[in-house]
Amino acid sequence: MPAPTSPADLFRHSLRLLLDKDIPAWVALWAEDGVMEFPFAPDGWPRRLEGKEAVAAYMRHYPDHIDLHDFPELRIHRTTDQETVVIEMRGVGRLVESDAPFDMTYIAVVTVRDGLFTSYRDYWNPLAVQEPGADFTGSSR
């Protein structure tokens, strides 16, 4: 089945892939020159990933550290730019290493072109990664 092409549908599809822990399929939704940014990333964490390969490397070990169970609060807002949506969401699950609950609220600004993510600015709470087992990026903190 081909991936959805509207930004909202593509984003919903991407969340299903994350819940299925299908990181290769999630990465396949990215344009080769796609950029992922984390404006609130703490020191030692990446603030900008340029290109599909960098996004793939960043996400490769995500399911080994964070076991997502659901996105119970998802709101997708359209913008005046038909290729861009603003997402409010909450991800819940558990941290694999400690079995502690994982509960993160996000706001993201996502742009899609030709059915692929080209820009994803992820505004997440940097305090949450201070929990043991939350670091799936190999950061230098």
Side-chain angles (χ1 to χ4, degrees), residues 125-137:
N125 180 358
L127 298 176
V129 298
Q130 294 177 356
E131 292 293 321
D135 185 0
F136 62 91
T137 67

Side-chain angles (χ1 to χ4, degrees), residues 9-79:
D9 288 343
L10 185 70
F11 193 82
R12 282 186 193 94
H13 178 65
S14 77
L15 294 181
R16 283 190 297 276
L17 293 173
L18 287 176
L19 291 174
D20 290 344
K21 298 166 185 38
D22 191 345
I23 300 305
W26 186 86
V27 170
L29 302 177
W30 280 80
E32 289 299 324
D33 61 349
V35 175
M36 190 169 202
E37 297 176 277
F38 308 97
F40 297 148
D43 289 342
W45 281 66
R47 294 187 191 271
R48 182 178 172 93
L49 305 170
E50 294 189 28
K52 186 178 193 171
E53 284 187 35
V55 171
Y58 176 81
M59 291 295 292
R60 183 168 292 123
H61 299 292
Y62 188 92
D64 297 334
H65 298 274
I66 299 173
D67 179 19
L68 287 171
H69 297 164
D70 195 11
F71 293 98
E73 298 170 24
L74 174 65
R75 289 186 206 99
I76 300 177
H77 306 278
R78 294 186 175 140
T79 68

Side-chain angles (χ1 to χ4, degrees), residues 94-115:
R94 69 179 181 87
L95 297 174
V96 173
E97 180 181 308
S98 65
D99 205 35
F102 176 81
D103 193 334
M104 175 85 76
T105 301
Y106 304 84
I107 292 179
V109 180
V110 177
T111 302
V112 172
R113 186 177 59 246
D114 299 326

